[in-house]
Coordinates of all heavy atoms in Angstrom, one line a residue:
M1 N 0.8 -1.2 0.0 CA 0.0 0.0 0.0 C 0.9 1.2 0.0 O 1.7 1.4 0.8 CB -0.9 0.0 1.2 CG -1.8 1.2 1.3 SD -2.7 1.3 2.9 CE -4.1 0.3 2.6
A2 N 0.7 2.1 -0.9 CA 1.5 3.3 -1.0 C 1.0 4.4 -0.1 O -0.2 4.5 0.2 CB 1.4 3.9 -2.5
T3 N 1.9 5.2 0.4 CA 1.5 6.3 1.3 C 1.9 7.6 0.7 O 2.7 7.7 -0.2 CB 2.2 6.2 2.7 OG1 3.6 6.3 2.5 CG2 1.8 4.9 3.4
N4 N 1.4 8.7 1.2 CA 1.7 10.0 0.7 C 2.7 10.8 1.5 O 2.6 12.0 1.7 CB 0.4 10.9 0.6 CG -0.5 10.4 -0.5 OD1 0.0 9.8 -1.5 ND2 -1.8 10.6 -0.4
K5 N 3.7 10.0 2.1 CA 4.7 10.7 2.9 C 5.6 11.5 2.0 O 6.0 11.0 1.0 CB 5.5 9.6 3.6 CG 4.8 9.0 4.8 CD 5.8 8.0 5.5 CE 5.2 7.3 6.6 NZ 6.1 6.5 7.3
E6 N 6.0 12.7 2.6 CA 7.0 13.5 1.9 C 8.3 13.2 2.6 O 8.4 13.2 3.8 CB 6.6 14.9 2.0 CG 5.5 15.3 1.1 CD 5.3 16.8 0.9 OE1 6.3 17.5 0.9 OE2 4.2 17.3 1.0
I7 N 9.3 13.0 1.8 CA 10.6 12.7 2.4 C 11.5 14.0 2.1 O 11.6 14.4 1.0 CB 11.2 11.5 1.9 CG1 10.4 10.3 2.2 CG2 12.7 11.3 2.4 CD1 10.8 9.0 1.6
F8 N 12.1 14.5 3.2 CA 12.9 15.7 3.1 C 14.4 15.3 3.1 O 14.7 14.4 3.8 CB 12.7 16.7 4.2 CG 11.3 17.3 4.2 CD1 10.4 16.9 5.1 CD2 11.1 18.4 3.4 CE1 9.1 17.5 5.1 CE2 9.8 19.0 3.4 CZ 8.8 18.5 4.3
T9 N 15.2 16.0 2.3 CA 16.6 15.8 2.5 C 17.1 16.4 3.8 O 16.3 17.2 4.3 CB 17.4 16.4 1.3 OG1 17.3 17.8 1.4 CG2 16.9 15.8 0.0
E10 N 18.2 16.1 4.2 CA 18.7 16.7 5.5 C 18.8 18.3 5.3 O 18.4 19.0 6.2 CB 20.1 16.2 5.8 CG 20.6 16.6 7.2 CD 21.9 15.8 7.6 OE1 22.0 14.7 7.3 OE2 22.8 16.5 8.1
A11 N 19.2 18.7 4.2 CA 19.3 20.2 3.9 C 18.0 20.8 3.9 O 17.8 21.9 4.5 CB 20.1 20.5 2.6
E12 N 17.0 20.2 3.3 CA 15.6 20.7 3.2 C 15.0 20.7 4.6 O 14.4 21.7 5.0 CB 14.7 19.9 2.3 CG 15.0 20.0 0.9 CD 14.3 19.0 0.0 OE1 14.0 17.8 0.5 OE2 14.0 19.3 -1.1
F13 N 15.2 19.7 5.4 CA 14.7 19.6 6.8 C 15.3 20.7 7.6 O 14.6 21.3 8.5 CB 15.0 18.3 7.4 CG 14.3 18.1 8.7 CD1 12.9 17.9 8.8 CD2 15.0 18.1 9.9 CE1 12.2 17.7 10.0 CE2 14.4 17.9 11.1 CZ 13.0 17.7 11.1
A14 N 16.6 21.0 7.5 CA 17.3 22.0 8.2 C 16.7 23.4 8.0 O 16.8 24.3 8.9 CB 18.8 22.0 7.9
H15 N 16.2 23.6 6.8 CA 15.7 25.0 6.5 C 14.1 25.0 6.6 O 13.6 26.1 6.4 CB 16.0 25.3 5.0 CG 17.5 25.6 4.8 ND1 18.5 25.2 5.7 CD2 18.1 26.3 3.9 CE1 19.6 25.6 5.2 NE2 19.5 26.3 4.2
L16 N 13.5 24.0 7.1 CA 12.1 24.0 7.3 C 11.7 25.0 8.4 O 12.3 25.0 9.5 CB 11.7 22.6 7.8 CG 10.2 22.2 7.7 CD1 9.7 22.3 6.3 CD2 10.0 20.8 8.3
G17 N 10.9 25.9 8.1 CA 10.4 26.9 9.0 C 11.3 28.1 9.1 O 11.1 29.1 9.8
A18 N 12.4 28.1 8.3 CA 13.4 29.3 8.3 C 12.6 30.6 7.9 O 11.9 30.6 7.0 CB 14.5 29.0 7.3
G19 N 12.9 31.6 8.8 CA 12.3 32.9 8.5 C 10.8 33.0 9.0 O 10.2 34.0 8.8
E20 N 10.3 31.9 9.5 CA 8.9 31.9 9.9 C 8.7 31.4 11.4 O 7.8 31.9 12.0 CB 8.1 30.9 9.0 CG 8.0 31.3 7.6 CD 7.3 30.3 6.7 OE1 6.5 29.5 7.3 OE2 7.5 30.3 5.5
V21 N 9.5 30.5 11.8 CA 9.3 29.9 13.1 C 10.6 30.1 13.9 O 11.7 30.0 13.4 CB 9.0 28.4 13.0 CG1 9.0 27.7 14.4 CG2 7.7 28.2 12.3
A22 N 10.5 30.4 15.2 CA 11.6 30.4 16.1 C 11.3 29.8 17.4 O 10.1 29.6 17.7 CB 12.0 31.9 16.4
Y23 N 12.3 29.3 18.1 CA 11.9 28.7 19.4 C 12.6 29.5 20.6 O 13.6 30.1 20.4 CB 12.3 27.2 19.5 CG 13.7 26.8 19.3 CD1 14.5 26.7 20.4 CD2 14.2 26.6 18.0 CE1 15.9 26.3 20.2 CE2 15.5 26.2 17.8 CZ 16.4 26.0 18.9 OH 17.7 25.6 18.8
V24 N 11.9 29.5 21.7 CA 12.3 30.2 22.9 C 12.8 29.1 23.9 O 12.2 28.1 24.0 CB 11.1 30.9 23.5 CG1 11.4 31.6 24.8 CG2 10.5 31.9 22.5
R25 N 13.9 29.4 24.5 CA 14.4 28.5 25.5 C 15.1 29.2 26.6 O 15.8 30.2 26.5 CB 15.5 27.6 24.8 CG 16.2 26.6 25.6 CD 17.1 25.8 24.8 NE 17.8 24.9 25.7 CZ 18.9 24.3 25.5 NH1 19.5 24.5 24.3 NH2 19.5 23.5 26.3
K26 N 14.8 28.7 27.8 CA 15.4 29.2 29.1 C 16.8 28.5 29.2 O 16.8 27.3 29.0 CB 14.6 29.0 30.3 CG 15.1 29.7 31.5 CD 14.4 29.3 32.8 CE 12.9 29.6 32.8 NZ 12.3 29.4 34.1
M27 N 17.8 29.3 29.4 CA 19.2 28.7 29.5 C 19.9 29.3 30.7 O 19.6 30.4 31.2 CB 20.0 29.1 28.3 CG 19.4 28.6 27.0 SD 20.4 29.0 25.6 CE 21.8 27.8 25.8
L28 N 20.9 28.5 31.2 CA 21.7 29.0 32.2 C 23.0 29.6 31.6 O 23.4 29.2 30.5 CB 22.2 27.9 33.1 CG 21.1 27.2 34.0 CD1 21.7 26.0 34.8 CD2 20.6 28.3 35.0
T29 N 23.5 30.6 32.2 CA 24.7 31.3 31.7 C 25.9 30.3 31.5 O 26.7 30.4 30.6 CB 25.2 32.4 32.6 OG1 25.3 31.9 33.9 CG2 24.3 33.6 32.5
D30 N 25.9 29.2 32.3 CA 26.9 28.2 32.1 C 26.9 27.5 30.8 O 27.9 27.0 30.3 CB 26.7 27.1 33.2 CG 26.5 27.6 34.6 OD1 25.8 28.6 34.8 OD2 27.1 27.0 35.5
D31 N 25.7 27.5 30.1 CA 25.5 26.8 28.8 C 25.7 27.7 27.6 O 25.6 27.3 26.5 CB 24.2 26.1 28.7 CG 24.0 25.1 29.9 OD1 25.0 24.4 30.2 OD2 22.9 25.0 30.4
L32 N 25.9 29.0 27.9 CA 25.8 30.0 26.8 C 27.1 30.0 25.9 O 27.0 30.3 24.7 CB 25.6 31.4 27.3 CG 24.2 31.6 27.9 CD1 24.2 33.0 28.5 CD2 23.1 31.4 26.8
A33 N 28.2 29.7 26.4 CA 29.5 29.8 25.7 C 29.5 29.0 24.3 O 29.9 29.5 23.3 CB 30.6 29.3 26.5
R34 N 28.9 27.8 24.3 CA 28.9 27.1 23.0 C 27.8 27.6 22.1 O 27.9 27.4 20.9 CB 28.8 25.6 23.3 CG 27.5 25.2 23.9 CD 27.5 23.7 24.2 NE 26.4 23.7 25.2 CZ 26.2 22.9 26.1 NH1 26.9 21.8 26.2 NH2 25.2 23.0 26.9
T35 N 26.7 28.2 22.6 CA 25.6 28.7 21.7 C 25.9 30.1 21.3 O 25.6 30.4 20.1 CB 24.3 28.6 22.5 OG1 24.1 27.3 23.0 CG2 23.1 28.9 21.6
F36 N 26.4 30.9 22.1 CA 26.7 32.3 21.8 C 28.2 32.6 22.1 O 28.6 33.2 23.0 CB 25.9 33.3 22.7 CG 24.4 33.2 22.5 CD1 23.7 32.3 23.3 CD2 23.8 34.0 21.6 CE1 22.3 32.2 23.1 CE2 22.4 33.9 21.4 CZ 21.7 33.0 22.1
P37 N 29.1 32.1 21.2 CA 30.6 32.1 21.4 C 31.1 33.5 21.6 O 32.2 33.7 22.2 CB 31.2 31.4 20.3 CG 30.1 31.3 19.2 CD 28.8 31.4 19.9
A38 N 30.5 34.5 21.0 CA 31.0 35.9 21.1 C 30.7 36.6 22.4 O 31.2 37.7 22.6 CB 30.4 36.7 19.9
L39 N 29.9 36.0 23.3 CA 29.5 36.6 24.5 C 30.7 36.7 25.5 O 31.5 35.8 25.5 CB 28.4 35.8 25.3 CG 27.0 36.0 24.7 CD1 26.1 35.1 25.5 CD2 26.6 37.4 24.8
P40 N 30.8 37.8 26.2 CA 31.9 37.8 27.3 C 31.5 36.9 28.4 O 30.3 36.5 28.5 CB 31.8 39.3 27.7 CG 30.4 39.8 27.4 CD 30.0 39.0 26.2
P41 N 32.4 36.6 29.3 CA 32.1 35.7 30.4 C 31.0 36.3 31.3 O 30.9 37.6 31.4 CB 33.4 35.6 31.2 CG 34.5 36.0 30.2 CD 33.8 36.9 29.3
M42 N 30.1 35.5 31.8 CA 29.0 35.9 32.6 C 29.0 35.2 34.0 O 29.6 34.1 34.1 CB 27.7 35.7 31.9 CG 27.5 36.4 30.6 SD 25.9 36.0 29.9 CE 25.4 37.6 29.4
M43 N 28.3 35.8 34.9 CA 28.2 35.1 36.2 C 27.5 33.8 36.1 O 26.4 33.7 35.5 CB 27.4 36.0 37.2 CG 27.3 35.5 38.6 SD 26.6 36.7 39.8 CE 24.9 36.6 39.3
P44 N 28.1 32.7 36.6 CA 27.5 31.4 36.4 C 26.2 31.2 37.2 O 26.0 31.9 38.1 CB 28.6 30.5 37.0 CG 29.7 31.3 37.4 CD 29.4 32.7 37.3
G45 N 25.3 30.4 36.6 CA 24.1 30.0 37.3 C 22.9 31.0 37.0 O 21.8 30.7 37.5
M46 N 23.1 32.0 36.3 CA 22.0 32.9 36.0 C 21.1 32.3 34.9 O 21.6 31.7 33.9 CB 22.5 34.3 35.5 CG 23.2 35.1 36.5 SD 23.8 36.7 35.9 CE 22.4 37.4 35.0
E47 N 19.8 32.5 35.0 CA 18.8 32.1 34.0 C 18.6 33.2 33.0 O 18.3 34.4 33.4 CB 17.5 31.7 34.6 CG 17.6 30.4 35.4 CD 16.2 29.9 35.8 OE1 15.3 30.7 35.9 OE2 16.1 28.7 36.2
L48 N 18.7 32.9 31.7 CA 18.4 33.9 30.7 C 17.5 33.2 29.7 O 17.3 32.0 29.7 CB 19.7 34.3 30.0 CG 20.7 35.0 30.9 CD1 22.0 35.3 30.1 CD2 20.2 36.4 31.3
W49 N 16.9 34.0 28.8 CA 16.0 33.5 27.8 C 16.7 33.7 26.4 O 17.4 34.8 26.2 CB 14.7 34.3 27.8 CG 13.8 34.0 28.9 CD1 13.8 34.6 30.1 CD2 12.9 32.9 29.0 NE1 12.9 34.0 31.0 CE2 12.4 33.0 30.3 CE3 12.5 31.9 28.2 CZ2 11.4 32.0 30.8 CZ3 11.6 31.0 28.6 CH2 11.0 31.1 29.9
A50 N 16.6 32.8 25.5 CA 17.2 32.9 24.2 C 16.1 32.6 23.1 O 15.2 31.8 23.3 CB 18.3 31.9 24.1
L51 N 16.3 33.3 22.0 CA 15.4 33.0 20.8 C 16.3 32.5 19.7 O 17.4 33.1 19.4 CB 14.8 34.3 20.4 CG 13.9 34.3 19.2 CD1 12.6 33.5 19.5 CD2 13.5 35.7 18.7
F52 N 15.9 31.4 19.2 CA 16.7 30.7 18.1 C 15.8 30.6 16.9 O 14.6 30.3 17.0 CB 17.1 29.3 18.5 CG 18.0 29.3 19.7 CD1 17.6 29.2 21.0 CD2 19.4 29.3 19.5 CE1 18.4 29.1 22.1 CE2 20.3 29.2 20.6 CZ 19.8 29.2 21.9
G53 N 16.4 30.7 15.7 CA 15.7 30.4 14.4 C 15.4 29.0 14.3 O 16.0 28.1 15.1
A54 N 14.6 28.6 13.4 CA 14.2 27.2 13.2 C 15.4 26.3 12.9 O 15.4 25.2 13.2 CB 13.2 27.1 12.0
D55 N 16.5 26.9 12.4 CA 17.7 26.2 12.1 C 18.7 26.1 13.3 O 19.7 25.5 13.2 CB 18.4 26.8 10.9 CG 18.9 28.2 11.1 OD1 18.6 28.8 12.2 OD2 19.6 28.7 10.2
G56 N 18.3 26.7 14.4 CA 19.1 26.7 15.6 C 20.0 27.8 15.7 O 20.7 27.9 16.7
A57 N 20.0 28.8 14.8 CA 20.9 29.9 14.9 C 20.4 30.9 16.0 O 19.2 31.2 16.0 CB 21.0 30.7 13.5
P58 N 21.2 31.4 16.9 CA 20.8 32.3 17.9 C 20.4 33.6 17.3 O 21.0 34.1 16.4 CB 22.0 32.4 18.8 CG 23.2 32.0 18.0 CD 22.7 31.0 17.0
I59 N 19.3 34.2 17.8 CA 18.8 35.5 17.3 C 18.9 36.6 18.4 O 19.5 37.6 18.2 CB 17.3 35.4 16.8 CG1 17.2 34.4 15.7 CG2 16.8 36.7 16.4 CD1 15.8 34.1 15.2
V60 N 18.3 36.3 19.6 CA 18.2 37.3 20.7 C 18.5 36.6 22.0 O 18.1 35.4 22.2 CB 16.8 38.0 20.7 CG1 16.8 38.9 21.9 CG2 16.5 38.6 19.4
L61 N 19.1 37.3 22.9 CA 19.4 36.8 24.3 C 19.0 37.9 25.3 O 19.3 39.0 25.0 CB 20.8 36.4 24.5 CG 21.3 35.9 25.8 CD1 20.7 34.5 26.1 CD2 22.8 35.8 25.8
S62 N 18.2 37.5 26.3 CA 17.8 38.5 27.3 C 17.5 37.9 28.6 O 17.3 36.7 28.7 CB 16.5 39.2 26.8 OG 16.0 40.1 27.7
D63 N 17.4 38.7 29.7 CA 17.1 38.2 31.0 C 15.6 38.2 31.2 O 15.1 37.7 32.2 CB 17.8 39.0 32.1 CG 17.4 40.5 32.1 OD1 16.8 40.9 31.1 OD2 17.7 41.1 33.1
A64 N 14.8 38.8 30.2 CA 13.4 38.9 30.3 C 12.7 38.2 29.2 O 13.0 38.5 28.0 CB 12.9 40.3 30.4
R65 N 11.8 37.2 29.5 CA 11.1 36.5 28.4 C 10.3 37.4 27.5 O 10.2 37.2 26.3 CB 10.2 35.5 29.1 CG 9.4 34.6 28.1 CD 8.7 33.5 28.8 NE 8.0 32.7 27.9 CZ 6.7 32.8 27.5 NH1 5.9 33.7 28.1 NH2 6.1 31.9 26.7
A66 N 9.8 38.5 28.1 CA 9.0 39.5 27.3 C 9.8 40.1 26.2 O 9.4 40.3 25.0 CB 8.4 40.5 28.2
N67 N 11.1 40.3 26.4 CA 12.0 40.9 25.4 C 12.2 39.9 24.3 O 12.3 40.3 23.1 CB 13.4 41.3 26.0 CG 13.3 42.4 27.0 OD1 12.3 43.2 27.0 ND2 14.3 42.6 27.8
I68 N 12.3 38.6 24.6 CA 12.5 37.6 23.6 C 11.3 37.5 22.7 O 11.4 37.5 21.5 CB 12.7 36.2 24.3 CG1 14.1 36.2 25.0 CG2 12.7 35.1 23.3 CD1 15.3 36.5 24.2
L69 N 10.1 37.6 23.3 CA 8.9 37.5 22.5 C 8.7 38.8 21.7 O 8.2 38.7 20.5 CB 7.7 37.3 23.4 CG 7.7 36.0 24.2 CD1 6.5 35.9 25.2 CD2 7.6 34.8 23.3
A70 N 9.1 39.9 22.2 CA 9.1 41.2 21.4 C 10.0 41.1 20.2 O 9.7 41.5 19.1 CB 9.4 42.4 22.3
G71 N 11.2 40.5 20.4 CA 12.2 40.3 19.3 C 11.6 39.4 18.2 O 11.8 39.6 17.1
A72 N 10.9 38.3 18.7 CA 10.3 37.4 17.7 C 9.2 38.2 16.9 O 9.1 38.0 15.7 CB 9.7 36.2 18.4
Q73 N 8.4 39.0 17.6 CA 7.4 39.7 16.9 C 8.0 40.7 15.9 O 7.5 40.9 14.8 CB 6.5 40.5 17.9 CG 5.3 41.1 17.3 CD 4.4 41.7 18.4 OE1 4.8 41.9 19.5 NE2 3.2 41.9 18.0
E74 N 9.1 41.4 16.3 CA 9.8 42.3 15.4 C 10.2 41.6 14.1 O 10.2 42.2 13.0 CB 11.0 42.9 16.1 CG 10.8 44.1 16.9 CD 12.1 44.6 17.5 OE1 13.1 44.5 16.9 OE2 12.0 45.1 18.7
H75 N 10.7 40.4 14.2 CA 11.1 39.6 13.1 C 10.0 38.8 12.4 O 10.3 38.0 11.5 CB 12.3 38.6 13.5 CG 13.5 39.3 13.9 ND1 13.8 39.7 15.2 CD2 14.6 39.7 13.1 CE1 15.0 40.3 15.2 NE2 15.5 40.3 14.0
E76 N 8.8 39.0 12.9 CA 7.6 38.4 12.3 C 7.7 36.8 12.4 O 7.5 36.2 11.4 CB 7.3 38.9 10.9 CG 7.0 40.3 10.9 CD 6.7 40.9 9.5 OE1 6.7 40.1 8.5 OE2 6.4 42.1 9.4
L77 N 8.2 36.3 13.5 CA 8.4 34.9 13.7 C 7.3 34.3 14.7 O 7.0 35.0 15.7 CB 9.8 34.6 14.3 CG 11.0 35.1 13.5 CD1 12.2 35.0 14.3 CD2 11.1 34.2 12.2
R78 N 6.8 33.2 14.3 CA 6.0 32.4 15.3 C 6.9 31.7 16.2 O 7.9 31.1 15.8 CB 5.1 31.4 14.5 CG 4.0 32.1 13.7 CD 3.1 31.2 13.0 NE 3.8 30.8 11.8 CZ 3.7 29.6 11.2 NH1 2.9 28.7 11.6 NH2 4.4 29.3 10.1
T79 N 6.5 31.7 17.5 CA 7.4 31.1 18.5 C 6.8 29.8 19.1 O 5.6 29.6 19.2 CB 7.7 32.1 19.7 OG1 6.4 32.4 20.3 CG2 8.4 33.3 19.2
V80 N 7.8 28.9 19.4 CA 7.4 27.7 20.1 C 8.4 27.6 21.3 O 9.5 28.2 21.3 CB 7.5 26.4 19.3 CG1 6.5 26.5 18.1 CG2 8.9 26.3 18.7
M81 N 8.0 27.0 22.4 CA 8.9 26.8 23.6 C 9.6 25.5 23.4 O 9.1 24.5 22.9 CB 8.0 26.7 24.8 CG 7.5 28.0 25.3 SD 8.7 29.2 25.9 CE 9.4 28.3 27.3
L82 N 10.9 25.5 23.8 CA 11.7 24.3 23.9 C 12.1 24.1 25.3 O 12.6 25.0 26.0 CB 12.9 24.5 23.0 CG 13.9 23.3 22.9 CD1 13.2 22.2 22.2 CD2 15.1 23.7 22.1
H83 N 11.9 22.9 25.8 CA 12.3 22.6 27.2 C 13.6 21.9 27.3 O 14.0 21.2 26.4 CB 11.2 21.7 27.8 CG 9.9 22.4 27.9 ND1 9.5 23.2 28.9 CD2 8.8 22.4 27.0 CE1 8.3 23.7 28.6 NE2 7.9 23.2 27.5

């Protein structure tokens, strides 16, 4: 029996939602160095909010979730939460 499944290449899947969807994630400053390599050292253990594009590229970092959501709205992105 045939199905109507669409199969994406890895490159197509990586760009799925690009420019349309972003995800919001709460992070500890301890984990930021590998995601935001250009950041200066920060006090360990602080909770911050980050906005990432659908492809995982960092967009905005803030200590307030409202700022992250405003950044998404400015870029006309629909947001989803990542735990």
Side-chain angles (χ1 to χ4, degrees):
M1 180 189 275
T3 63
N4 289 333
K5 285 185 181 181
E6 287 191 39
I7 298 175
F8 293 102
T9 66
E10 190 173 319
E12 289 171 331
F13 188 73
H15 289 22
L16 194 62
E20 297 176 20
V21 176
Y23 62 93
V24 177
R25 180 175 176 199
K26 189 187 298 187
M27 301 183 73
L28 292 176
T29 51
D30 310 44
D31 301 323
L32 292 175
R34 66 185 160 201
T35 307
F36 296 90
L39 284 178
M42 300 178 134
M43 186 170 71
M46 289 179 51
E47 287 186 342
L48 298 173
W49 290 92
L51 179 69
F52 296 90
D55 63 354
I59 299 172
V60 179
L61 180 66
S62 177
D63 61 347
R65 185 173 180 263
N67 293 342
I68 294 299
L69 296 176
Q73 188 174 19
E74 277 182 32
H75 290 90
E76 298 179 359
L77 298 168
R78 287 181 281 153
T79 58
V80 295
M81 286 292 297
L82 183 65
H83 299 274

